[in-house]
Amino acid sequence: MGSLIEIQNLTFWYGEDKQEVPVIKDINLSVKKGEFIAVVGPNGSGKSTLIRHLNGFLAPCRGRVTVDGLDTAESRNLPVIRRKVGMVFQNPDTQLFASVVEEDVAFGVENLGLPRAEIRERVDSALAQVGMLEYKHYPPHRLSGGQKQKVAIAGILAVQPECIVLDEPTSMLDPRGKKEVREAVRALNAALGITVIYVTHDMNEVLRCDRLAALSGGEIVFTGRPEDFFADRECLHRIGLQAPPIKELVHSLTEEGFDLPRDLNSPEELVDALCR
Amino acid sequence: MEGIVLGQYVPGNSFLHKLDPRTKLIMSAVLLWVIFLLEGPLEYTGFGLFIVFLYLLAGVSGSFLKILRPGLYLVLITLIINMIFTPGRVVLDLGLADITREGLIQGLTMGFRLVFLISMSSLVTLTTSPVRMTDGLELLLKPFKKIGVPASELAMMMNIALRFIPTFWEETDKIRKAQIARGADFDSWNLGRRIKYITALLVPLFVSAFRKADELSMAMEARGYTVGMERTSLHELKMNPRDYLVLTVFFISVAAFVINKYFI
Ligand SMILES: Nc1ncnc2c1ncn2[C@@H]1O[C@H](COP(=O)(O)OP(=O)(O)OP(=O)(O)O)[C@@H](O)[C@H]1O
Ligand SMILES: [Mg+2]
């Protein structure tokens, strides 16, 4: 499949002073259509800064970012780019701004200037996709964190984007909320083929992604399959991340002499492999 | 936090709920003006009964006292200040201060006006969902767009403000509890201390509000919003025959009242 987002030699400073160490250092990354990419890295490694380039919130100081061939540095491209690339943020409380759920989901579509009947249809189908249709008349402040994030995702879906970027969407949620949101995102990727770029601190969430990009100090230090990433213990250690418990367990067992495949992602798979 | 009813909507199916928000906004604006024309106990009683009738009609009479509670202090202060500081014939000598007949009348007039103002404007928010209200406001202001009134932006601001009132109260409550846990006494009788504690409440509240505003504007921009853009809307507001009827009857009554009062 073709590539959707191209990042070429991206370098970025927040300040004017170009002598300082840049926040993003010469990053190259290409995101294919329909891919599920996870972005990980320690605090301050530049994950949020990087993804803010993807919808033109930030313009590169050096290098180029294109979405479907459109340069994000050109402001006349921004409306189209923002329609193609939706963004979900960390705090569920500051993303919903209407007094009723369905109004909020409609917000992005209303910005497109579509006729009323079409808005109605898109809002309902987006809410149904994330399983929140029955809450459409609720005020947002009466929803749980996970439900709010799902409504935020529905609001993006209603615009029918090609790509959804999520910046730590689950970090303020409890385990149940995390699971709800994670599953909703997976379903979109699998069922609708929407490209997903998922920033997270939770290593359990990246196990099943297609590709993983690890950032450290503004540089991409790894891109590839998650199991290869977690197998490279030296790299993990250097950037200060820890593999999820299941990977740690598999690793310990391998060191004890068990011959196990590297792509085991759940206790059940591990049990199967051991019993074989 | 409970008891905060300002700007809160009580869902319902009454006649007032079913009116178009524009009808309600126009009528309440006119009635707010009429309040200042009232004279004499008869007219005040009449208007008071009219408001009570509207609350009963809307089925929100339970909210009436709750709305008035925050305003009651204001009314009492107005009443007392007016009673004491208006010169005139003394009806009650309290030694330090005299209550005059003129003062009493003045105080009661102001007090009742305040009560009417609060209950009249709350009636609109009580019977109209915020979304429909902002839509109505936007449509009402639309003709003024030509002379530079940012109608859609005003409506958007109002929408956001209404949405964040509950969040704002939750936040206030959270910070207040955090400060109480650190020994703050918000009910202290010592004015200096009380001001100090309230500052300790307001500063974090504002910081958090500004941070929220920042994140919010980012989320709006990410969804393709730019100030001054043409937008469409999920809901359609429609003036029904009922609205035209109510408006006609309303304007005839108001006109009759004014003509009767000043021209006959
Ligand atoms: N608006 C800003 N102005 C100046 N510097 C900033 C700004 N935002 C972030 N930075 C700096 O850029 C660096 C990268 O920040 P960024 O928010 O991209 O990290 P992150 O990987 O998203 O971290 P986290 O995991 O904490 O979200 C940090 O050193 C941070 O201090
Ligand atoms: Mg971040």
Side-chain angles (χ1 to χ4, degrees):
Chain A
M1 270 191 256
S3 91
L4 179 66
I5 299 177
E6 286 285 351
I7 304 173
Q8 293 159 356
N9 305 103
L10 171 64
T11 302
F12 183 81
W13 290 267
Y14 273 104
E16 291 298 310
D17 186 2
K18 303 284 181 272
Q19 304 306 314
E20 282 179 32
V21 187
V23 176
I24 297 287
K25 287 180 210 142
D26 201 24
I27 280 184
N28 285 289
L29 186 70
S30 152
V31 181
K32 288 199 271 303
K33 281 196 174 123
E35 207 174 13
F36 193 126
I37 286 201
V39 178
V40 300
N43 288 119
S45 55
K47 303 183 295 292
S48 300
T49 310
L50 173 64
I51 61 156
R52 271 171 206 176
H53 282 85
L54 303 183
N55 73 346
F57 269 156
L58 298 174
C61 293
R62 293 198 192 129
R64 224 166 93 88
V65 177
T66 57
V67 175
D68 236 359
L70 299 165
D71 194 329
T72 61
E74 292 195 31
S75 55
R76 71 189 151 84
N77 287 340
L78 288 185
V80 182
I81 288 174
R82 290 191 181 154
R83 198 179 313 161
K84 286 179 188 283
V85 180
M87 223 173 248
V88 176
F89 299 91
Q90 180 178 24
N91 189 344
D93 271 321
T94 48
Q95 288 184 79
L96 309 184
F97 28 82
S99 322
V100 183
V101 164
E102 63 168 9
E103 277 295 315
D104 202 280
V105 176
F107 182 77
V109 200
E110 291 174 339
N111 291 341
L112 300 181
L114 293 175
R116 184 163 294 126
E118 168 123 30
I119 300 181
R120 177 87 268 162
E121 198 184 299
R122 284 197 186 195
V123 167
D124 287 351
S125 91
L127 276 170
Q129 256 149 17
V130 297
M132 291 291 293
L133 192 56
E134 60 199 288
Y135 294 94
K136 71 179 184 180
H137 295 300
Y138 265 57
H141 68 96
R142 297 226 337 250
L143 300 179
S144 76
Q147 290 174 326
K148 281 183 202 163
Q149 286 299 55
K150 287 201 284 184
V151 171
I153 293 172
I156 307 287
L157 273 185
V159 183
Q160 302 181 346
E162 300 191 19
C163 171
I164 295 190
V165 180
L166 304 102
D167 192 356
E168 301 187 32
T170 59
S171 64
M172 292 171 92
L173 308 180
D174 58 10
R176 199 170 125 224
K178 274 191 208 290
K179 186 153 173 272
E180 281 176 20
V181 171
R182 200 164 58 220
E183 277 168 6
V185 174
R186 272 223 189 90
L188 303 182
N189 179 250
L192 305 175
I194 295 178
T195 312
V196 174
I197 299 176
Y198 196 102
V199 177
T200 183
H201 275 288
D202 187 341
M203 293 303 142
N204 288 310
E205 297 192 330
V206 306
L207 285 171
R208 287 193 175 82
C209 65
D210 296 327
R211 198 145 65 102
L212 179 146
L215 249 70
S216 174
E219 288 174 285
I220 291 196
V221 290
F222 176 92
T223 47
R225 304 278 315 157
E227 50 270 18
D228 296 334
F229 179 61
F230 292 122
D232 189 350
R233 306 187 63 80
E234 202 247 330
C235 172
L236 271 177
H237 186 74
R238 198 171 59 239
I239 63 178
L241 293 177
Q242 197 168 24
I246 179 73
K247 291 289 178 190
E248 292 286 342
L249 182 58
V250 172
H251 177 76
S252 309
L253 288 170
T254 317
E255 286 203 327
E256 292 295 322
F258 286 91
D259 182 22
L260 294 167
R262 286 203 301 191
D263 57 351
L264 298 174
N265 289 332
S266 69
E268 291 78 20
E269 288 169 24
L270 176 59
V271 171
D272 280 351
L274 283 173
C275 295
R276 217 177 298 133
Chain B
M1 207 137 72
E2 276 170 53
I4 299 297
V5 194
L6 194 74
Q8 222 170 64
Y9 169 55
V10 180
N13 228 347
S14 74
F15 185 74
L16 287 187
H17 282 89
K18 283 189 201 139
L19 283 181
D20 188 279
R22 281 167 288 179
T23 312
K24 287 185 267 190
L25 283 168
I26 292 172
M27 289 202 301
S28 71
V30 173
L31 283 176
L32 293 184
W33 167 70
V34 167
I35 288 173
F36 288 93
L37 301 182
L38 297 177
E39 281 169 335
L42 197 68
E43 287 178 17
Y44 272 89
T45 319
F47 199 84
L49 287 176
F50 176 56
I51 288 182
V52 172
F53 165 73
L54 288 181
Y55 269 80
L56 290 174
L57 183 67
V60 291
S61 43
S63 311
F64 188 65
L65 289 177
K66 264 201 262 176
I67 289 159
L68 281 183
R69 199 162 12 155
L72 221 53
Y73 292 108
L74 208 61
V75 173
L76 272 178
I77 291 170
T78 319
L79 186 66
I80 291 169
I81 288 179
N82 273 295
M83 278 193 316
I84 295 174
F85 292 106
T86 315
R89 195 154 59 86
V90 178
V91 283
L92 193 65
D93 193 343
L94 293 179
L96 269 178
D98 299 332
I99 292 183
T100 62
R101 191 184 128 82
E102 284 76 6
L104 198 63
I105 292 173
Q106 181 87 2
L108 283 175
T109 313
M110 297 292 258
F112 270 109
R113 273 186 192 164
L114 272 175
V115 171
F116 289 167
L117 285 175
I118 297 171
S119 48
M120 207 48 240
S121 37
S122 307
L123 192 59
V124 183
T125 51
L126 280 170
T127 57
T128 319
S129 89
V131 175
R132 289 174 62 78
M133 174 115 80
T134 42
D135 284 349
L137 194 72
E138 182 173 352
L139 287 175
L140 277 180
L141 288 177
K142 219 167 200 169
F144 301 102
K145 258 188 179 166
K146 283 195 198 75
I147 57 164
V149 176
S152 333
E153 287 71 37
L154 282 175
M156 180 67 73
M157 275 162 62
M158 184 166 148
N159 201 351
I160 292 173
L162 289 172
R163 148 76 176 88
F164 277 94
I165 285 173
T167 316
F168 200 67
W169 283 119
E170 269 165 34
E171 189 94 1
T172 314
D173 204 38
K174 215 164 61 189
I175 299 175
R176 207 174 71 96
K177 283 192 180 127
Q179 305 289 29
I180 288 174
R182 297 193 181 98
D185 177 11
F186 287 99
D187 299 323
S188 165
W189 284 97
N190 181 329
L191 197 64
R193 244 198 236 158
R194 204 158 164 168
I195 288 174
K196 197 178 106 196
Y197 291 135
I198 288 182
T199 319
L201 178 73
L202 287 180
V203 172
L205 200 59
F206 272 99
V207 171
S208 121
F210 281 123
R211 206 190 49 233
K212 281 216 171 79
D214 205 37
E215 288 176 13
L216 189 67
S217 65
M218 208 159 69
M220 292 176 74
E221 240 182 280
R223 292 169 72 181
Y225 180 74
T226 44
V227 174
M229 74 188 307
E230 276 297 321
R231 308 180 72 240
T232 45
S233 169
L234 175 65
H235 292 293
E236 183 184 26
L237 290 184
K238 233 176 83 206
M239 295 285 275
N240 291 313
R242 142 179 352 111
D243 290 291
Y244 293 113
L245 187 75
V246 166
L247 277 177
T248 313
V249 172
F250 176 75
F251 275 111
I252 291 176
S253 323
V254 171
F257 173 74
V258 172
I259 291 171
N260 184 24
K261 202 165 163 68
Y262 295 100
F263 298 99
I264 296 179

